[in-house]
Amino acid sequence: MADVLPLVEARLRSALGEPDARAAVTFLGTDRIEVLRFTEGDVVRYATLGMSAQPMADPTAVLADPVKGPRAELVLSVRPGVADTDKVLRPLAVLAASPQVEGLIVAPGASLDVGGALWPGAPFTSVLVAESGGLVEDLELDAPADPVRFLPLLPMTPNEAAWKRVHGAGALQERWLNGGTDLRDPSRKSVPLD
């Protein structure tokens, strides 16, 4: 199978424009993960590149299939200037490496915790994985490979993450919608959860 990463980067560029910055992180025993930054008007988007190089495998499987299995990259959108959001590069790379390191399958509705603030002073320590197909279209690969999905990440406060564990992702997204929550605000407060 051909290397999918040039195709993934081409899809990101066609959807988001030219990246104005990129950084790479390599964790021991994993493939290199890059994070590309795209700036458009009043929104900065950070997209991972490298997570989709291998399909995510079920951690209980004896052997990982080298071709079949879900593939994804992560996309985070925030408003610039309010916080030092460029420091999110390492936490994003950690999340993108989690399928290789921890055997996780990252899918919509999942919570991913970074174990600290997403960036200095951020009120968020985790993200909710949203459905793909909106901002960046899924990238179809030759059969039998699964398509690459570009999964938006929605930052969650610790209270929101705890509430989501009890009530589910759909209920939290409904709260955000009903509350008119600006999920791109890097310093927003938790949505009312009572």
Side-chain angles (χ1 to χ4, degrees):
M1 167 137 200
D3 185 8
V4 302
L5 295 184
L7 302 173
V8 170
E9 184 169 354
R11 176 58 54 95
L12 285 168
R13 287 172 183 263
S14 70
L16 305 175
E18 287 299 310
D20 59 5
R22 66 192 307 146
V25 180
T26 305
F27 302 101
L28 188 62
T30 67
D31 295 329
R32 170 184 162 123
I33 302 288
E34 288 189 82
V35 179
L36 282 58
R37 184 182 70 190
F38 300 87
T39 305
E40 181 185 341
D42 65 343
V43 177
V44 175
R45 300 188 204 295
Y46 301 94
T48 63
L49 179 63
M51 182 177 170
S52 62
Q54 303 295 325
M56 293 181 267
D58 182 342
T60 61
V62 178
L63 288 173
D65 190 311
V67 178
K68 291 199 300 191
R71 294 176 189 255
E73 295 292 352
L74 308 175
V75 181
L76 174 71
S77 300
V78 293
R79 297 204 188 293
V82 179
D84 189 7
T85 56
D86 280 349
K87 296 283 196 294
V88 78
L89 300 176
R90 185 166 179 78
L92 269 183
V94 168
L95 295 178
S98 62
Q100 289 181 60
V101 175
E102 300 172 37
L104 291 179
I105 294 182
V106 177
S111 298
L112 302 175
D113 196 301
V114 296
L118 278 174
W119 52 80
F124 317 108
T125 56
S126 62
V127 293
L128 175 64
V129 181
E131 291 287 341
S132 67
L135 183 63
V136 183
E137 272 187 54
D138 294 347
L139 174 64
E140 296 294 331
L141 300 175
D142 294 337
D146 290 21
V148 176
R149 303 199 185 286
F150 298 88
L151 301 171
L153 300 180
L154 309 174
M156 292 189 292
T157 65
N159 284 347
E160 290 170 338
W163 197 85
K164 182 253 176 198
R165 278 191 293 277
V166 173
H167 300 281
L172 179 58
Q173 288 177 304
E174 194 172 308
R175 284 284 171 129
W176 283 336
L177 189 61
N178 292 340
T181 306
D182 180 3
L183 295 172
R184 294 178 180 165
D185 180 352
S187 57
R188 73 171 178 83
K189 304 288 185 239
S190 182
V191 69
L193 298 169
D194 46 355

